Amino acid sequence: MLEDTSLAFMDFQKVILNNPDDPMVHIHAGNLLMLTGSYVDALKAFANALQIKDISMAHYQVIKCKLLLEDMESA
């Protein structure tokens, strides 16, 4: 079951539903989305984390996503 990112993301969705107020859950989901190349969706996950709590790790990951999307100005 290694490298089955769709199954891993489905598992993360269950964790998110059980812990919607935990910003780290959203950050981990965003990291998984980044690994699959879904940078826009990852940005949404990091934005959700930041709405819950202002965490530097989420800001850092947003910058990484924007750089990968070649959005240098907003990064």
Side-chain angles (χ1 to χ4, degrees), residues 4 7 12 18 20 22-23 29 31-34 37 41 44 49 54-55 57 61 65 68 70 72 74-75:
D4 188 348
L7 181 60
F12 261 110
N18 289 332
D22 182 357
N31 290 340
L32 178 62
L33 288 164
M34 280 181 62
D41 290 330
K44 292 175 188 175
D54 191 18
I55 297 178
M57 183 184 294
Q61 294 300 79
C65 275
L68 291 166
E70 299 181 7
M72 305 302 171
S74 64

Side-chain angles (χ1 to χ4, degrees), residues 2-20:
L2 293 174
E3 299 184 21
D4 188 348
T5 53
S6 62
L7 181 60
F9 189 70
M10 286 177 20
D11 288 341
F12 261 110
Q13 286 178 321
K14 292 176 188 175
V15 173
I16 291 169
L17 290 174
N18 289 332
N19 302 299

Side-chain angles (χ1 to χ4, degrees), residues 63-75:
I63 292 168
K64 281 176 51 176
C65 275
K66 289 184 178 187
L67 290 173
L68 291 166
L69 288 168
E70 299 181 7
D71 186 0
M72 305 302 171
E73 186 175 321
S74 64

